[in-house]
Amino acid sequence: MGSATSELPARRTPLADAAETGLKIVVVGGFGVGKTTMVRSVSEIRPLNTEEVMTQAGVGIDETTGVQEKTTTTVAFDFGRISLTERMVLYLFGAPGQERFWFLWDRLFSGTLGAVVLVDTRRMDDSWYAIDRLEHHGTPFVVAVNRFDGGGRHSLDEIRQALALPEHVPMIDCDARVRSSVKHVLITLVDHLYDMALAQERTP
Ligand SMILES: Nc1nc2c(ncn2[C@@H]2O[C@H](COP(=O)(O)OP(=O)(O)OP(=O)(O)O)[C@@H](O)[C@H]2O)c(=O)[nH]1
Ligand SMILES: [Mg+2]
């Protein structure tokens, strides 16, 4: 007799089987800032992507300045997984960046512990919506600056000012293509969540 469980693909690692806590993290940011790349770089499973080829129909609608070589775009979300410890697994969701898919974000934020806002300094305005939505939902976040070639060398302090980010929001540089760099971003986020939880506990 077949059961639903026995029909699941045998891809789970022993670590994931032992995991007791799944933490949902979302990666948000403007169009083409590297969200899919980030999830791909760090996921220990082959990530689920919902990429579609961009067509002529998007010309004039999709703002591709700075990412002209981009040929695909996320139309739903990216999904990846990373084991933090034997009992703790991060589930990573990459949001779609194009404005016409932003209506999906609020659903994606449901049950989210924290978020990474990925920023491209060449197109900083695209970050506003992400920050605004996260603040609206009360979701803690860190800001990771994906340094594309030719992205200038604005200091993190300058970027913080431009985004009007409060001091307590951690900011770091990253390269979304490099696994160790993305890991560092996620560790920064988990540390931030931990600090916030401790601060809340201390509040009488
Ligand atoms: N030079 C450089 N290219 C990058 C970096 N990160 C991503 N890219 C490239 O930038 C392009 C956009 O990356 P994606 O990961 O598709 O961006 P996205 O934010 O998921 O895009 P949407 O889902 O369409 O909003 C791809 O061609 C990546 O290879 C980076 O740090 N440096
Ligand atoms: Mg994407």
Side-chain angles (χ1 to χ4, degrees):
M1 194 181 70
S3 72
T5 314
S6 64
E7 282 158 18
L8 285 174
R11 300 188 57 167
R12 293 172 64 82
T13 63
L15 264 187
D17 283 331
E20 286 175 359
T21 314
L23 310 176
K24 180 178 170 186
I25 301 290
V26 293
V27 181
V28 287
F31 172 57
V33 291
K35 301 175 296 295
T36 298
T37 307
M38 177 172 253
V39 173
R40 251 182 221 163
S41 298
V42 83
S43 179
E44 66 194 14
I45 54 169
R46 208 169 108 207
L48 165 75
N49 294 134
T50 55
E51 294 295 286
E52 289 294 340
V53 174
M54 296 196 296
T55 64
Q56 276 299 107
V59 175
I61 298 170
D62 304 333
E63 180 43 67
T64 54
T65 314
V67 284
Q68 287 91 342
E69 69 287 354
K70 194 166 153 59
T71 54
T72 64
T73 188
T74 306
V75 295
F77 58 85
D78 314 298
F79 174 72
R81 190 187 69 199
I82 180 168
S83 304
L84 288 183
T85 68
E86 287 188 9
R87 295 178 185 279
M88 210 180 279
V89 176
L90 277 191
Y91 294 107
L92 273 185
F93 288 79
Q98 293 193 62
E99 197 169 339
R100 62 177 179 274
F101 300 122
W102 284 356
F103 68 93
L104 292 168
W105 285 24
D106 287 330
R107 281 283 175 85
L108 209 55
F109 288 168
S110 154
T112 295
L113 204 69
V116 175
V117 177
L118 204 51
V119 171
D120 176 353
T121 52
R122 298 168 305 175
R123 303 174 319 143
M124 213 114 78
D125 287 356
D126 289 3
S127 317
W128 288 114
Y129 183 76
I131 292 171
D132 181 67
R133 292 323 295 163
L134 290 169
E135 284 176 344
H136 174 82
H137 279 263
T139 306
F141 61 93
V142 298
V143 172
V145 180
N146 197 18
R147 298 284 189 182
F148 282 79
D149 319 320
R153 295 308 304 177
H154 300 284
S155 71
L156 288 180
D157 272 347
E158 285 168 336
I159 298 169
R160 182 184 292 282
Q161 275 180 22
L163 294 175
L165 271 188
E167 275 303 312
H168 72 269
V169 176
M171 280 189 78
I172 44 169
D173 278 314
C174 80
D175 186 329
R177 299 163 300 178
V178 178
R179 184 179 161 84
S180 57
S181 176
V182 178
K183 265 184 140 174
H184 184 56
V185 172
L186 295 176
I187 289 167
T188 305
L189 175 60
V190 171
D191 282 348
H192 180 52
L193 295 175
Y194 188 67
D195 287 346
M196 288 186 69
L198 277 184
Q200 251 177 10
E201 246 177 50
R202 285 195 204 110
T203 312

Short mmCIF file of all heavy atoms in Angstrom, two decimals, residues 32-37 49-51 70 72-75 77-78 94-97, ligand 2:
data_model
loop_
_atom_site.label_atom_id
_atom_site.label_comp_id
_atom_site.label_asym_id
_atom_site.label_seq_id
_atom_site.Cartn_x
_atom_site.Cartn_y
_atom_site.Cartn_z
N GLY A 32 16.11 42.37 -10.77
CA GLY A 32 17.46 42.07 -11.24
C GLY A 32 18.59 42.37 -10.26
O GLY A 32 19.74 42.50 -10.67
N VAL A 33 18.29 42.46 -8.97
CA VAL A 33 19.37 42.77 -8.01
C VAL A 33 20.17 41.53 -7.65
O VAL A 33 21.19 41.63 -6.97
CB VAL A 33 18.84 43.43 -6.71
CG1 VAL A 33 18.33 44.83 -6.95
CG2 VAL A 33 17.79 42.57 -6.04
N GLY A 34 19.70 40.34 -8.05
CA GLY A 34 20.45 39.11 -7.77
C GLY A 34 19.81 38.18 -6.75
O GLY A 34 20.47 37.35 -6.15
N LYS A 35 18.49 38.27 -6.59
CA LYS A 35 17.80 37.43 -5.59
C LYS A 35 17.87 35.94 -5.95
O LYS A 35 18.20 35.11 -5.11
CB LYS A 35 16.32 37.88 -5.47
CG LYS A 35 16.17 39.33 -5.05
CD LYS A 35 14.72 39.79 -5.05
CE LYS A 35 14.06 39.80 -6.40
NZ LYS A 35 14.61 40.76 -7.38
N THR A 36 17.55 35.63 -7.21
CA THR A 36 17.61 34.23 -7.65
C THR A 36 19.05 33.72 -7.55
O THR A 36 19.30 32.60 -7.08
CB THR A 36 17.11 34.12 -9.11
OG1 THR A 36 15.74 34.55 -9.13
CG2 THR A 36 17.20 32.70 -9.63
N THR A 37 20.00 34.55 -7.93
CA THR A 37 21.42 34.18 -7.86
C THR A 37 21.79 33.86 -6.41
O THR A 37 22.49 32.88 -6.13
CB THR A 37 22.29 35.35 -8.39
OG1 THR A 37 21.82 35.71 -9.67
CG2 THR A 37 23.75 34.97 -8.44
N ASN A 49 13.19 27.13 -9.12
CA ASN A 49 13.12 28.48 -9.69
C ASN A 49 11.88 28.58 -10.56
O ASN A 49 11.46 27.58 -11.15
CB ASN A 49 14.32 28.78 -10.60
CG ASN A 49 15.63 28.82 -9.84
OD1 ASN A 49 16.60 28.24 -10.27
ND2 ASN A 49 15.64 29.50 -8.71
N THR A 50 11.32 29.74 -10.63
CA THR A 50 10.22 29.96 -11.57
C THR A 50 10.66 31.06 -12.53
O THR A 50 10.09 32.14 -12.55
CB THR A 50 8.93 30.35 -10.83
OG1 THR A 50 9.21 31.49 -10.01
CG2 THR A 50 8.41 29.22 -9.96
N GLU A 51 11.70 30.75 -13.28
CA GLU A 51 12.25 31.73 -14.21
C GLU A 51 11.54 31.63 -15.56
O GLU A 51 11.26 30.53 -16.04
CB GLU A 51 13.74 31.47 -14.45
CG GLU A 51 14.61 31.68 -13.25
CD GLU A 51 14.65 33.14 -12.79
OE1 GLU A 51 15.29 33.95 -13.45
OE2 GLU A 51 14.01 33.44 -11.77
N LYS A 70 20.51 40.50 -18.84
CA LYS A 70 19.57 39.60 -18.18
C LYS A 70 18.55 39.06 -19.18
O LYS A 70 17.94 39.82 -19.92
CB LYS A 70 18.87 40.38 -17.06
CG LYS A 70 18.12 39.54 -16.07
CD LYS A 70 17.79 40.43 -14.87
CE LYS A 70 16.54 39.96 -14.13
NZ LYS A 70 16.61 38.61 -13.63
N THR A 72 16.29 36.22 -18.23
CA THR A 72 15.13 35.59 -17.58
C THR A 72 14.74 36.40 -16.34
O THR A 72 15.52 37.20 -15.85
CB THR A 72 15.44 34.14 -17.12
OG1 THR A 72 16.47 34.19 -16.12
CG2 THR A 72 15.87 33.26 -18.27
N THR A 73 13.53 36.16 -15.88
CA THR A 73 13.06 36.86 -14.68
C THR A 73 12.20 35.90 -13.86
O THR A 73 11.59 34.98 -14.41
CB THR A 73 12.27 38.13 -15.07
OG1 THR A 73 11.98 38.87 -13.88
CG2 THR A 73 10.94 37.79 -15.76
N THR A 74 12.14 36.13 -12.55
CA THR A 74 11.34 35.28 -11.66
C THR A 74 9.88 35.69 -11.75
O THR A 74 9.56 36.87 -11.57
CB THR A 74 11.85 35.41 -10.21
OG1 THR A 74 13.25 35.14 -10.20
CG2 THR A 74 11.13 34.44 -9.29
N VAL A 75 9.00 34.74 -12.00
CA VAL A 75 7.58 35.10 -12.11
C VAL A 75 6.76 34.61 -10.90
O VAL A 75 5.59 34.96 -10.78
CB VAL A 75 6.94 34.55 -13.41
CG1 VAL A 75 7.58 35.21 -14.62
CG2 VAL A 75 7.04 33.05 -13.51
N PHE A 77 8.43 32.59 -7.40
CA PHE A 77 9.44 32.73 -6.35
C PHE A 77 10.53 31.68 -6.52
O PHE A 77 10.36 30.70 -7.25
CB PHE A 77 8.82 32.63 -4.95
CG PHE A 77 8.10 31.33 -4.70
CD1 PHE A 77 8.79 30.19 -4.28
CD2 PHE A 77 6.73 31.23 -4.89
CE1 PHE A 77 8.13 29.00 -4.06
CE2 PHE A 77 6.05 30.04 -4.67
CZ PHE A 77 6.76 28.91 -4.26
N ASP A 78 11.65 31.88 -5.84
CA ASP A 78 12.72 30.88 -5.76
C ASP A 78 12.59 30.19 -4.42
O ASP A 78 12.15 30.80 -3.44
CB ASP A 78 14.10 31.55 -5.81
CG ASP A 78 14.21 32.60 -6.89
OD1 ASP A 78 14.07 32.24 -8.06
OD2 ASP A 78 14.44 33.77 -6.55
N GLY A 94 13.06 33.41 -2.56
CA GLY A 94 13.43 34.61 -3.31
C GLY A 94 12.18 35.19 -3.95
O GLY A 94 11.43 34.48 -4.62
N ALA A 95 11.94 36.47 -3.72
CA ALA A 95 10.73 37.10 -4.25
C ALA A 95 10.93 37.50 -5.71
O ALA A 95 12.06 37.73 -6.14
CB ALA A 95 10.39 38.34 -3.42
N PRO A 96 9.84 37.61 -6.47
CA PRO A 96 9.97 38.15 -7.83
C PRO A 96 10.20 39.66 -7.75
O PRO A 96 9.59 40.33 -6.92
CB PRO A 96 8.60 37.84 -8.46
CG PRO A 96 7.66 37.78 -7.31
CD PRO A 96 8.44 37.32 -6.11
N GLY A 97 11.07 40.19 -8.62
CA GLY A 97 11.46 41.60 -8.48
C GLY A 97 10.65 42.58 -9.29
O GLY A 97 10.64 43.77 -9.00
MG MG B 2 14.74 36.27 -9.57
#
